[in-house]
Amino acid sequence: MRQDKILIVGTGALGSFYGALLSKAGADVSVVCRSDYPTVKQNGFQIKSDELGNWTFKPSQVLKSTAEYKDQADYIILCTKVIPEIDCVELIKPAVDSETRITLIQNGVEIEQPLVKAFPDNEIISGLAFVCCNRIAPGLTHHIAYGKLTLGQVNQAGQASISSQHLADLINKAGIESKVSEQILTDRWLKCLWNAPFNPLSVLSGGLSTADILSTQEVLIRKIMQEVMHIAHACGHPLAADSIETNIRNTYAMPPYKTSMLLDYERYQTMEIEAILGNTLSAAKREKISCPTLETLYSLMKLIEIRVNKIQH
Amino acid sequence: MRQDKILIVGTGALGSFYGALLSKAGADVSVVCRSDYPTVKQNGFQIKSDELGNWTFKPSQVLKSTAEYKDQADYIILCTKVIPEIDCVELIKPAVDSETRITLIQNGVEIEQPLVKAFPDNEIISGLAFVCCNRIAPGLTHHIAYGKLTLGQVNQAGQASISSQHLADLINKAGIESKVSEQILTDRWLKCLWNAPFNPLSVLSGGLSTADILSTQEVLIRKIMQEVMHIAHACGHPLAADSIETNIRNTYAMPPYKTSMLLDYERYQTMEIEAILGNTLSAAKREKISCPTLETLYSLMKLIEIRVNKIQH
């Protein structure tokens, strides 16, 4: 069987980890990496996994941009943050071939549409990662726990995608659970049910853990989740009636956890406010759903962003 | 004319400043002071005023508690913060005589009721200070700008109070504008119209000035002010129709300003969340007024408070 050609775009914690897994499973994996280019070009990535042990991931090609890719990609996997300053379409366009499947492993809701529009003839696969891993130094990624990847085809809704399954098989082969979902967009809304309260609240509280937030503001958390439920439903992605209960229960059972927005905030990096809250609010506006709590959180996060920008510049 | 006996309880920036003014005007002013006791006992207060010059305020008695007061107070002036750990009634009770007028120069709405209940036969005077002054060291107070004090009798509504006027006269005599209001409770709601958005937002934004907050989140500010307007109206304190416009315009004209909650937050001191937001929400609940934005702000401030408490202890 022919070796899969995979191009990972964005090699933070997520991109390096899943790239390393796919390489481990036998794929030909190249990477486009920005800030860590010199280190990765020379030494590849060191992966320290508490679950799978340590190994070196030597990408087939280490590139500064997709235009330099000297091959035909079967899969492009987008692992960048979803922030306004990154134009995902422009970023990958030079390496998209007629046969390339475009996969995104990213945060947020309603983030697929620009790719679906720009590449109408390519298969678009949306991926949700439930993983705890950190980039602890250039080219050094620490995989702490979890890793489950859920993949689903976006532009031929309702059909199980052979390509999604193939990608999931590779990840499974590398030792991390991965599965195909036939309702990946609904899965995104389900993830948003958790992200929409806990990400902004972890920042707005000045850095409290999910445990502290939930144990003192469960009513507020439920109110936010309820608003997300309404929006998801109006968007044609009704969530199971017990979704809120399940999320609350699971969060109580989790160890104290720092959200991705909080980690970005603590490093004065751009937060995924638009992908998680902005897109949720746009959907609410479009579907005429009232969500005063989410609106307030969004406004407050935009204020926090001003301060981060001042420190960045 | 007999010299007024005045006991100031709480000698932060406000208490020391107004105490110093009253002393300057000829009153016999004593103070109950907690943390700065040794310094004040020995040297009194140094007042550095950008407007009135520098002077030393030597209180008649410097006390650790009201029980030690060796006189009959014509006025007790409460200048403590309004926070749950301070029981204002218990704090002043030992020095309250049948003739004592109880004055409070404090933040928040609906803060008079406990005093009115506990001392039904005493005159209760509510005071609002528009002043910019800081305690910069033990016994050292810097008066930067403004100072206007508005005083009004609470428990005989509608009557101009001779005692309020007398106190206002003393402050005026010392060189700072002071006036009597016949609708001091409405004035408090008007002040809340500004405090309810800007105090919490300055903290939740991570320390932005009022100018930055207003220039980017005017819509949110207006929404919060509108909620306060509704609550004030329901409580029998309708504010002038142009109050929001006036407040927005005045805030644009102000130099960038740090709110009292932000100052407390930066020093990891207890913030007046209950006096400003908690009491507003209690009033809303009682009067059945919907205020989703204020509710969210309150919940978020309670989260911030958890973090402050962790650092305090």
Side-chain angles (χ1 to χ4, degrees):
Chain A
M1 197 173 143
R2 180 178 161 283
Q3 206 186 15
D4 294 288
K5 306 275 186 192
I6 298 178
L7 177 62
I8 307 275
V9 179
T11 54
L14 272 188
S16 59
F17 179 59
Y18 286 108
L21 290 176
L22 291 163
S23 171
K24 215 179 187 208
D28 173 282
V29 182
S30 296
V31 299
V32 173
C33 84
R34 228 179 10 157
S35 41
D36 297 349
Y37 178 83
T39 312
V40 174
K41 181 81 185 170
Q42 198 166 2
N43 307 314
F45 292 94
Q46 310 302 316
I47 310 290
K48 293 182 51 161
S49 168
D50 294 357
E51 202 170 316
L52 304 174
N54 304 341
W55 78 96
T56 300
F57 158 41
K58 273 275 190 186
S60 178
Q61 300 172 46
V62 177
L63 313 164
K64 283 185 175 170
S65 78
T66 47
E68 298 170 11
Y69 189 54
K70 295 169 201 72
D71 226 324
Q72 286 196 317
D74 297 312
Y75 294 89
I76 287 180
I77 306 187
L78 248 174
C79 296
T80 61
K81 281 206 281 188
V82 183
I83 50 180
E85 49 265 54
I86 298 180
D87 182 334
C88 291
V89 169
E90 289 305 315
L91 194 60
I92 64 169
K93 195 183 264 176
V96 176
D97 191 67
S98 63
E99 296 301 311
T100 307
R101 291 86 166 170
I102 300 166
T103 302
L104 48 97
I105 307 180
Q106 292 177 310
N107 275 327
V109 290
E110 304 204 336
I111 58 172
E112 298 87 354
Q113 228 33 51
L115 294 166
V116 169
K117 263 194 193 162
F119 308 107
D121 301 325
N122 292 74
E123 213 178 312
I124 313 286
I125 299 169
S126 191
L128 285 171
F130 293 82
V131 63
C132 187
C133 64
N134 287 320
R135 170 193 170 284
I136 51 183
L140 179 56
T141 299
H142 183 200
H143 169 228
I144 301 158
Y146 313 111
K148 188 173 159 185
L149 187 66
T150 306
L151 297 162
Q153 199 177 349
V154 171
N155 46 355
Q156 295 179 37
Q159 288 186 5
S161 150
I162 293 167
S163 314
S164 299
Q165 189 59 59
H166 182 63
L167 217 46
D169 289 345
L170 288 174
I171 302 283
N172 280 319
K173 195 174 159 192
I176 289 290
E177 191 192 344
S178 180
K179 63 162 193 163
V180 169
S181 165
E182 306 212 356
Q183 45 160 15
I184 191 72
L185 298 184
T186 305
D187 297 341
R188 273 202 181 274
W189 278 105
L190 186 59
K191 197 172 181 193
C192 183
L193 194 74
W194 193 93
N195 276 332
F198 286 105
N199 268 286
L201 263 55
S202 63
V203 174
L204 292 167
S205 66
L208 289 183
S209 70
T210 49
D212 280 334
I213 294 169
L214 185 57
S215 63
T216 54
Q217 290 296 336
E218 189 179 318
V219 172
L220 177 65
I221 299 286
R222 285 175 180 273
K223 208 192 285 181
I224 300 164
M225 288 183 168
Q226 201 62 61
E227 291 184 3
V228 175
M229 285 277 274
H230 288 154
I231 301 165
H233 189 271
C235 292
H237 300 290
L239 306 180
D242 64 352
S243 299
I244 292 179
E245 288 314 318
T246 308
N247 263 279
I248 297 276
R249 198 172 53 239
N250 289 349
T251 308
Y252 271 121
M254 273 165 59
Y257 180 78
K258 278 196 176 188
T259 67
S260 65
M261 257 189 209
L262 178 57
L263 291 173
D264 282 337
Y265 178 61
E266 290 181 342
R267 296 167 188 154
Y268 300 120
Q269 289 175 351
T270 308
M271 297 173 283
E272 296 181 309
I273 300 171
E274 294 306 329
I276 294 172
L277 290 174
N279 289 1
T280 300
L281 283 177
S282 299
K285 202 170 177 186
R286 190 182 67 228
E287 307 295 338
K288 302 189 174 52
I289 303 296
S290 156
C291 50
T293 316
L294 283 166
E295 274 176 7
T296 305
L297 294 185
Y298 176 74
S299 298
L300 293 172
M301 289 307 297
K302 296 303 277 184
L303 285 178
I304 292 267
E305 194 176 48
I306 292 172
R307 192 161 158 268
V308 171
N309 287 342
K310 284 191 181 189
I311 293 168
Q312 278 178 345
H313 298 122
Chain B
M1 197 175 144
R2 181 180 161 282
Q3 204 186 18
D4 295 286
K5 306 276 187 191
I6 298 178
L7 177 61
I8 306 275
V9 179
T11 55
L14 272 189
S16 59
F17 178 60
Y18 287 106
L21 290 176
L22 291 164
S23 170
K24 214 177 185 206
D28 174 282
V29 183
S30 297
V31 299
V32 174
C33 82
R34 226 179 11 154
S35 41
D36 298 349
Y37 178 83
T39 312
V40 174
K41 180 81 185 173
Q42 200 166 1
N43 307 315
F45 292 93
Q46 310 303 315
I47 310 291
K48 293 182 50 158
S49 169
D50 293 357
E51 202 169 318
L52 305 174
N54 303 342
W55 77 95
T56 300
F57 158 41
K58 273 275 193 187
S60 176
Q61 301 173 45
V62 177
L63 314 165
K64 285 187 175 168
S65 77
T66 47
E68 297 169 11
Y69 189 55
K70 294 168 203 70
D71 225 324
Q72 285 196 321
D74 298 310
Y75 293 89
I76 288 180
I77 305 186
L78 247 174
C79 296
T80 61
K81 280 206 280 190
V82 183
I83 50 178
E85 50 265 54
I86 297 179
D87 182 334
C88 291
V89 169
E90 289 306 314
L91 194 61
I92 64 169
K93 196 182 263 175
V96 176
D97 191 67
S98 63
E99 296 301 311
T100 308
R101 291 86 165 169
I102 300 166
T103 302
L104 48 97
I105 305 180
Q106 292 177 311
N107 275 326
V109 290
E110 304 204 336
I111 59 171
E112 297 88 353
Q113 228 32 51
L115 294 165
V116 170
K117 261 193 194 164
F119 308 106
D121 301 325
N122 292 73
E123 212 178 313
I124 312 286
I125 298 168
S126 192
L128 284 171
F130 292 82
V131 63
C132 186
C133 64
N134 288 320
R135 169 194 171 282
I136 51 182
L140 180 55
T141 298
H142 183 199
H143 170 229
I144 301 158
Y146 313 110
K148 187 173 161 185
L149 187 66
T150 306
L151 297 162
Q153 198 176 349
V154 170
N155 46 355
Q156 295 178 37
Q159 289 187 5
S161 148
I162 294 166
S163 314
S164 299
Q165 189 58 60
H166 182 63
L167 217 45
D169 289 345
L170 288 173
I171 301 284
N172 280 319
K173 194 174 159 193
I176 290 290
E177 190 192 343
S178 180
K179 61 163 193 161
V180 169
S181 165
E182 305 213 358
Q183 47 161 12
I184 190 72
L185 298 185
T186 305
D187 296 341
R188 270 200 184 278
W189 279 104
L190 186 60
K191 196 171 182 195
C192 183
L193 194 74
W194 192 92
N195 276 331
F198 286 105
N199 269 285
L201 262 55
S202 63
V203 174
L204 291 167
S205 67
L208 289 183
S209 71
T210 49
D212 280 334
I213 293 169
L214 184 57
S215 61
T216 54
Q217 290 296 335
E218 189 179 318
V219 171
L220 177 66
I221 299 287
R222 285 176 180 272
K223 208 192 289 182
I224 300 164
M225 287 182 168
Q226 201 62 63
E227 290 183 3
V228 175
M229 286 277 276
H230 288 154
I231 301 166
H233 190 270
C235 291
H237 299 291
L239 305 180
D242 64 353
S243 300
I244 293 179
E245 288 315 318
T246 308
N247 263 279
I248 297 276
R249 198 173 54 240
N250 290 349
T251 308
Y252 271 120
M254 272 165 60
Y257 179 78
K258 277 195 177 190
T259 67
S260 66
M261 256 190 210
L262 178 57
L263 290 174
D264 282 337
Y265 178 60
E266 290 181 342
R267 296 167 187 153
Y268 300 120
Q269 288 175 352
T270 307
M271 297 173 283
E272 296 181 309
I273 301 171
E274 294 306 329
I276 294 171
L277 290 173
N279 289 1
T280 301
L281 282 177
S282 299
K285 201 171 177 184
R286 189 182 67 227
E287 307 296 339
K288 300 189 177 53
I289 303 295
S290 158
C291 50
T293 316
L294 283 166
E295 274 177 8
T296 305
L297 294 185
Y298 175 73
S299 298
L300 293 172
M301 289 306 298
K302 296 303 275 185
L303 285 178
I304 292 268
E305 194 176 48
I306 291 172
R307 192 160 158 268
V308 172
N309 287 341
K310 283 191 182 189
I311 293 167
Q312 279 178 342
H313 297 121

